[in-house]
Structures are given as structure tokens and as C-alpha cells.
Amino acid sequence: MEEVSQFEEFDYVNTKNQRRKLLPIWIKVFIWIFFIFGGIGILLLLFAPFSDNIDLSIYGISTTNPKSIAGISIILLFILKGMVSYGLWFEKKWGINIAQIDAVLGIIICTATMFYGSYSKVGEKL
């Protein structure tokens, strides 16, 4: 006598795109936004040596000089966000890990910028 499993249908489910279906719609929207930012970041990295005035800003860091340390850092952050969106959208094994690294890095940069901004303004008044 052969037992019939009620869970057989789950054994043959196509596992492709399973994680993508679990993503909420707002994350899918931001994935595409950061795809665009990542592509723009790559273009900015290529064209930065030829330009002197590009407005860049993220996490409270802003600059108009793409050749400065802040400008290169901002461009690299855009590229990192593009890599995160690529990893999440195409379900790469490293996608979730690099997304967590990006989140922690974002929190650290925002916190540092917040404290640096408040201390630099206090120093200017004295």
C-alpha cells in the first residue's frame, strides 16, 4: 500500500523567483530606483575626471566636486546600492548579506554625519 502525500505539489514547485515573490512591493520599487542610481554611479565614476561641478548628496553628505573624497565616497555608495539591488532582484546568495552590510553602513554614516554636523555648527558659533 502506497501512501499519498498531500505535500507532493511542494516538491515540484519551480524554485526560480521564489524569493522575489516574497519581496513587498515597496522594496521592489526601491530596487529599481537603486538599479538606476547604481548605473548613474558607474557613469559618474567614468565621467568624474572630466567634470568639475556635479551635485552629489546621500546620508547628509553633500558635495559639488566629484573628484573629492566625499564625491568619490558618494559615487561608491551609489554603486554599492546598485549592487545590493542587483543581488536582491536576481536572488544571488550574497544579495541578503550585502544588503545587511549596506544597511549597517548607512546607519553608521548617518549617525556620524548627524554628530559631525551638530558639533561643527557648535564650533562655528564659538
Side-chain angles (χ1 to χ4, degrees):
M1 182 171 201
E2 187 176 323
E3 286 188 39
V4 177
S5 173
Q6 296 186 14
F7 299 105
E8 267 184 37
E9 64 184 89
F10 295 111
D11 292 335
Y12 303 109
V13 172
N14 183 8
T15 57
K16 182 101 171 106
N17 301 329
Q18 288 298 313
R19 286 194 301 181
R20 190 182 297 176
K21 290 178 185 176
L22 294 174
L23 294 173
I25 190 73
W26 66 273
I27 290 181
K28 291 178 183 178
V29 169
F30 280 100
I31 282 174
W32 283 101
I33 289 171
F34 286 121
F35 264 144
I36 295 167
F37 282 158
I40 291 171
I42 292 171
L43 291 175
L44 284 174
L45 196 60
L46 294 173
F47 293 119
F50 307 112
S51 107
D52 291 330
N53 192 7
I54 299 174
D55 290 327
L56 299 169
S57 180
I58 192 170
Y59 294 138
I61 303 169
S62 60
T63 185
T64 57
N65 184 4
K67 298 175 196 172
S68 67
I69 293 173
I72 293 171
S73 299
I74 292 170
I75 292 170
L76 291 176
L77 283 170
F78 283 147
I79 293 171
L80 175 66
K81 295 197 173 300
M83 287 173 42
V84 168
S85 65
Y86 174 84
L88 289 176
W89 188 252
F90 291 107
E91 301 176 6
K92 301 295 181 184
K93 291 182 181 180
W94 49 265
I96 294 172
N97 294 332
I98 199 167
Q100 291 172 343
I101 291 169
D102 179 44
V104 170
L105 186 64
I107 290 169
I108 291 169
I109 293 171
C110 279
T111 305
T113 307
M114 179 178 63
F115 284 118
Y116 175 74
S118 64
Y119 286 129
S120 66
K121 291 178 183 172
V122 170
E124 289 174 3
K125 292 180 182 178
L126 296 175

